[in-house]
Amino acid sequence: MHLKLITAALVASLASAPLAAADYQPVTDARLAKQEPANWLLTKGNYAGWSYSELDQVTTANVAKLRPVWSAATGVNSGHEAPAIVNGEYMFVATPHNQVIAYDTRTGKVRWKFVREVPEGLGALHRTNRGVSLYGDKVYVGSIDCMLSALDAKTGTLVWEAQVCDWEQDSAYITSAPLVVKGKVLIGPSGGEFGVRGFLKAFDAETGKLAWTRYSVPGPGEKGFETWPQDGEWKDAWKNGGGTMWMPGNYDATNNVIYWGVGNGAPWLGDQRPGDNLYLASVLALDPESGDIVSHFQYHWNDSWDWAGMNAPTLVEFNRNGKKVSGLISAQRNGRLYWLDRDDKGRITYNKSEPYVHNTVFTSIDPKTGRPTYNEEAKPATGKTRTYCPSLWGGKDWPYEAYNPKTGMLYIPYNDNHCLTLTGMIQPRIPGQWSAGVDINRLDLSVKKDFDHIGGIQAWSVDGGKEVWREKYPHSWNWGSIMTTAGGVLFAGGTNDRMFRAYDAKTGKLLWEFPTPSGIIAPPSTFTVDGKQYIAVVSGWGVDAQWIQGKMHGLAGWEKAVPEGGSVWVFALGD
């Protein structure tokens, strides 16, 4: 039986006493490798990172008939950045404050709730969570106090836990969703601004035993170490060099290669760690069995702008000169859209890149290697006050782009016309304290004079290499991930007006919108119940989106703050 539609005025939290466990279909390697339209088993829908669904009941012709079916409050505020992960009758939502809630997909009633107490004194910069992973009969979630927890999917009972990092000594913390590949749970921490040396760890999914660790900043004797200072004042810069791997990667299941993004340098100022600084602001191709680096591509060398490369590129097939070419495509924080080739061994080569927002730093790009040259007057440095565009939040921050194989387009949630001025300094590294080499209270955000918009969505032809359409938001940044479907619809939130929207994926025409209680910075997902398609999204503004909103109040007179408070929303077509 389909869910009974109820009006928005009657939508309310249905959480009461936890439900009895229902049948649960274990998540296998085969289920993860071949996306199931009926479920949403991975953060980005599939291993390739498409944020795409083959479901097509909701189309451009009928999407305007979407109505809320159920909604449930999460009970906490701050930034909700995790998608609703769905496996049959179970929906799993991770929230800020170390909480996971399992809902009944039909009714929104709570099946179970898991909360891990946040230790006193924890200095996490972003107290959020970007989602759970599923494998076997377990749910895996990272916590801001550096733990990876395995929960029984039917009951929420803690099965095992493993320490990923040390929040007291390393100042690291976890916001990333894990990724499960061939029985290993992969996760890395945040904390570049605290001087954490980035890494990725793999744990046995059944036992929690550590399988391997891959540091993103090489140590003595490792390939790439020569790109860090070898002597002099900064010879130990690699020990706290940043490069945290704080977003989930993507996986080529056919060729058994993982692609993972590497974050910004620490401190931000590149003159305190002279050299190219591998593997900051890069994508790594990794062997899932050992964590060994197969190949890499660095988007920009000696990162000095906090332009983290933490988002793994999307795996696609290019049509080039009548041939299929395996590739990677990624809209990076530095404001350029990259086309990279990959072979069956995971080796990465540069093909081309194009600017998708204004960049005042890059003066040229080597057409063969993709290596940029810099305008030194726009490069932050110790004792210097410098301005650069885009600001540290980049052309696109962490939210996910989406790829639709039917339209052949990549959809980018972008922000333009913003810049940052900062003064570089030397800051001692003290555990739990900001040490990025700039005063966190003096990050001078600015916007271009007479700007017509900041946020928006761009649609690019993957094969043609050209922008096809653009949606501009005159009075908002865009903080929302994108999802697209075989029905030709694109779903997105991300704006300060709290709207959840649907667009025509081919043309960019707005087809439907719905106001939620708070702003949406979580990725949408879609699934079926009894053969009927549903769209889910979590509403809950906070963290950087709220901080920027306050800044824009002073810069442009925008509303000072967006209401916070988390809630899950599920929609379906009306009868």
Side-chain angles (χ1 to χ4, degrees):
M1 177 180 288
H2 298 323
L3 295 174
K4 182 179 180 180
L5 295 173
I6 50 179
T7 65
L10 294 178
V11 172
S13 171
L14 298 176
S16 56
L19 294 177
D23 289 340
Y24 186 84
Q25 183 182 4
V27 176
T28 62
D29 292 323
R31 294 186 67 198
L32 293 175
K34 183 174 175 56
Q35 185 178 9
E36 299 175 354
N39 296 301
W40 194 267
L41 299 178
L42 289 155
T43 303
K44 291 171 272 187
N46 64 7
Y47 269 144
W50 288 4
S51 294
Y52 166 80
S53 171
E54 294 180 0
L55 295 178
D56 59 4
Q57 289 182 11
V58 178
T59 68
T60 56
N62 62 23
V63 67
K65 297 180 180 179
L66 281 183
R67 299 291 184 269
V69 174
W70 62 260
S71 178
T74 66
V76 297
N77 60 5
S78 191
H80 287 58
E81 298 183 347
I85 300 295
V86 176
N87 184 23
E89 297 181 44
Y90 290 77
M91 174 187 288
F92 306 98
V93 175
T95 78
H97 310 295
N98 285 354
Q99 177 180 247
V100 179
I101 307 174
Y103 297 99
D104 179 272
T105 50
R106 287 180 169 83
T107 65
K109 290 185 177 181
V110 173
R111 291 191 173 277
W112 53 258
K113 185 181 294 186
F114 171 83
V115 180
R116 181 180 177 83
E117 185 176 352
V118 179
E120 292 186 13
L122 190 146
L125 187 62
H126 299 95
R127 294 198 173 203
T128 188
N129 188 289
R130 297 189 176 92
V132 304
S133 267
L134 308 181
Y135 192 70
D137 57 359
K138 298 179 182 64
V139 178
Y140 303 91
V141 64
S143 60
I144 57 173
D145 56 328
C146 279
M147 300 300 292
L148 174 64
S149 299
L151 312 175
D152 184 294
K154 295 175 71 172
T155 66
T157 303
L158 180 66
V159 178
W160 58 256
E161 60 183 16
Q163 185 173 14
V164 180
C165 44
D166 186 333
W167 67 266
E168 292 183 283
Q169 295 301 316
D170 298 338
S171 301
Y173 57 101
I174 297 174
T175 61
S176 177
L179 180 72
V180 180
V181 172
K182 297 185 73 175
K184 294 183 176 66
V185 187
L186 282 61
I187 196 165
S190 300
E193 285 65 44
F194 297 124
V196 173
R197 180 189 178 200
F199 61 82
L200 183 68
K201 288 187 176 182
F203 297 86
D204 183 276
E206 188 62 31
T207 66
K209 182 180 178 181
L210 179 66
W212 52 256
T213 300
R214 166 51 53 200
Y215 282 97
S216 61
V217 174
E222 295 181 305
K223 185 178 179 180
F225 182 66
E226 71 279 0
T227 66
W228 288 80
Q230 304 296 299
D231 50 35
E233 184 178 4
W234 311 114
K235 65 182 178 65
D236 291 329
W238 66 275
K239 294 180 179 179
N240 307 111
T244 48
M245 302 169 78
W246 53 275
M247 292 293 292
N250 296 324
Y251 176 53
D252 178 352
T254 301
N255 296 306
N256 197 29
V257 180
I258 299 167
Y259 296 90
W260 214 282
V262 181
N264 56 280
W268 288 355
L269 312 169
D271 63 353
Q272 293 183 23
R273 40 179 169 77
D276 281 9
N277 300 154
L278 291 176
Y279 294 93
L280 303 183
S282 300
V283 54
L284 299 181
L286 303 172
D287 181 337
E289 300 302 325
S290 63
D292 291 344
I293 298 174
V294 176
S295 182
H296 80 280
F297 176 78
Q298 189 174 50
Y299 301 107
H300 54 271
W301 52 278
N302 193 234
D303 175 59
S304 300
W305 305 270
D306 189 26
W307 285 341
M310 70 288 174
N311 276 116
T314 303
L315 281 61
V316 295
E317 298 290 323
F318 301 126
N319 293 299
R320 187 182 300 152
N321 301 322
K323 296 181 178 180
K324 287 281 188 181
V325 178
S326 295
L328 306 165
I329 190 166
S330 181
Q332 280 295 308
R333 205 152 153 173
N334 63 27
R336 293 190 74 85
L337 178 58
Y338 289 84
W339 282 258
L340 307 173
D341 292 350
R342 57 185 168 93
D343 65 14
D344 58 5
K345 304 296 184 182
R347 291 170 294 202
I348 305 169
T349 54
Y350 176 79
N351 179 253
K352 67 175 182 178
S353 63
E354 297 288 346
Y356 69 96
V357 301
H358 182 60
N359 178 310
T360 62
V361 175
F362 295 176
T363 58
S364 65
I365 301 290
D366 187 298
K368 292 184 177 180
T369 66
R371 182 182 176 90
T373 55
Y374 298 146
N375 167 18
E376 293 296 325
E377 292 304 309
K379 184 178 181 183
T382 308
K384 305 290 185 180
T385 299
R386 299 276 167 81
T387 299
Y388 63 94
C389 317
S391 72
L392 69 86
W393 291 273
K396 183 186 77 65
D397 198 24
W398 75 266
Y400 307 126
E401 59 208 11
Y403 170 67
N404 189 318
K406 286 199 166 185
T407 66
M409 295 183 202
L410 184 80
Y411 303 95
I412 306 169
Y414 79 97
N415 294 297
D416 202 357
N417 298 316
H418 57 98
C419 307
L420 190 72
T421 301
L422 53 81
T423 302
M425 64 179 69
I426 296 175
Q427 287 182 316
R429 183 180 182 276
I430 301 172
Q433 294 189 22
W434 174 275
S435 57
V438 298
D439 186 343
I440 190 174
N441 297 310
R442 297 184 64 184
L443 298 178
D444 187 10
L445 179 70
S446 59
V447 293
K448 289 187 178 180
K449 185 178 180 181
D450 300 325
F451 71 93
D452 66 340
H453 77 293
I454 300 290
I457 298 172
Q458 294 181 27
W460 283 70
S461 168
V462 167
D463 291 336
K466 301 292 184 182
E467 182 181 327
V468 179
W469 60 260
R470 178 183 297 214
E471 167 79 332
K472 295 180 179 180
Y473 300 136
H475 304 294
S476 182
W477 287 52
N478 188 352
W479 299 99
S481 296
I482 292 172
M483 180 188 70
T484 182
T485 71
V489 184
L490 181 153
F491 291 94
T495 52
N496 57 17
D497 59 6
R498 303 175 288 118
M499 289 291 185
F500 186 43
R501 295 184 170 92
Y503 296 90
D504 186 312
K506 289 184 178 179
T507 67
K509 180 182 178 181
L510 178 64
L511 303 174
W512 171 86
E513 59 185 9
F514 182 87
T516 65
S518 182
I520 295 169
I521 56 179
S525 59
T526 185
F527 58 95
T528 62
V529 173
D530 300 327
K532 183 168 183 175
Q533 184 178 359
Y534 295 86
I535 313 295
V537 74
V538 181
S539 175
W541 198 257
V543 286
D544 284 27
Q546 193 71 289
W547 189 88
I548 289 289
Q549 187 70 21
K551 287 290 183 182
M552 294 303 297
H553 173 72
L555 290 170
W558 292 4
E559 183 181 6
K560 190 172 184 178
V562 176
E564 294 190 16
S567 54
V568 183
W569 289 81
V570 174
F571 302 89
L573 295 174
D575 293 332

